[in-house]
Amino acid sequence: MPHLTTVAGPLPVSAVRGPALPHEHLVLDLDRTGDGGAVLDPGRHLSAVTSELTALRAEFGLSLVIELTCRGMGRDPRALARIAEESGVAVVASTGWYYEPFHPDEIGGTPVGQLTATLVQEITDGLDSTGIRPGVLGEIGSHGERPSQPESRALLASAHAAVATGLSVATHAQLGRGGLAQLELLTGTGLAPHRICLGHQDLLDDTAVHRELAASGAYVAFDTVGKESYQSDDTRLRLLLALLYAGHADRVLLSCDISRHAYLESEGGQGYGHLFRSFLPKARAAGVDDELIDLMTRRNPLRFLTGAETDTAAEIEPATDPGTEEI
């Protein structure tokens, strides 16, 4: 039976009966200015994060969070294990490298083979001497239309590690740009498109690019839902509907990418639940039915993680009887 690698160990995909958030941060430190804004600190914010997930599990059946805080981003696998245990929501941890401004010194001029070996060792032996194994590579970053030389090496190493270990790769495409170049680089190693998720595409107002990425078989992440300072949710919904009308619902992943403590509900932010409380009701009002929502929020994330090309192959069944699709 296919299973996920979570911070608590293997989890059968059949156990995930509710929705997933496939691009989130539960613990994070991206503070480069000293203002402490781009931080989710396990000492100060763990309780608030846990409370939000617990509430979402009770209200919406939230079953899984894919946590994409990787090397150099303030990763803390022990804190993730505690959040998962206390909230009852399964958490998948990650390995890899973010985009160049946040690269640790270990990237430097290190060859791809050596970087690959670092990732494979973490996938095999666990993160930061904890024994907690990652279940995904991400968020592997680049900025601009094409990755920089260090970003290219990090992307290539992630792809080689994915091929060697059977994990999938989730990317960070800064402001949605460069997804096609990321896809070209990753698939050039032999990594199948359906093992790749191109990040932050809801920040790119280009439906043609979205269709091209989805037509390749890769997943297209609309994963900054609620971040109105970057893009309005009305625009996100328009872009999503265009992708659905083009027949690519099976390539969509939806998430909120909570990456600053000000985004937490306890601090007046939209919180991890914005997708369920605000965006999905708008999608339903626009004609997106519950079967499609289950596909995008549960079955697609599970297929992405397991590498299954169909629901049947991953033993991932619809949570509800499919009705007549309005989109």
Side-chain angles (χ1 to χ4, degrees), residues 23 139-141 155 169-173 182 186 196-200 223:
H23 186 130
E139 59 182 296
I140 317 302
L155 283 158
V169 175
T171 78
H172 166 93
Q182 289 182 342
L186 293 167
I196 300 165
C197 172
L198 288 313
H200 309 324
D223 53 14

Side-chain angles (χ1 to χ4, degrees), residues 20-24 64-68 170 253-255 296-297 301:
L21 288 170
H23 186 130
E24 297 299 339
L64 178 69
V65 172
I66 302 176
E67 214 278 359
L68 294 181
L253 298 180
L254 302 173
S255 209
M296 293 186 290
T297 63

Side-chain angles (χ1 to χ4, degrees), residues 23 140 142 155 169-173 176-184 186-187 193-202 209-210 212-214 216-223 251 253 304:
H23 186 130
I140 317 302
S142 71
L155 283 158
V169 175
T171 78
H172 166 93
R177 297 170 59 201
L180 290 169
Q182 289 182 342
L183 182 64
E184 179 184 11
L186 293 167
T187 56
H194 70 275
R195 302 310 302 256
I196 300 165
C197 172
L198 288 313
H200 309 324
Q201 292 306 298
D202 53 331
V209 169
H210 297 160
E212 185 173 352
L213 294 173
S216 78
Y219 289 92
V220 180
F222 281 42
D223 53 14
R251 297 295 102 183
L253 298 180
F304 165 64

Side-chain angles (χ1 to χ4, degrees), residues 22-67:
H23 186 130
E24 297 299 339
H25 302 281
L26 307 179
V27 179
L28 181 77
D29 187 352
L30 294 179
D31 183 18
R32 294 190 297 157
T33 65
D35 68 0
V39 168
L40 291 165
D41 182 80
R44 291 182 291 146
H45 306 121
L46 187 143
S47 177
V49 170
T50 302
S51 294
E52 284 200 36
L53 298 191
T54 302
L56 292 174
R57 179 173 175 262
E59 186 175 357
F60 298 102
L62 178 66
S63 296
L64 178 69
V65 172
I66 302 176
E67 214 278 359

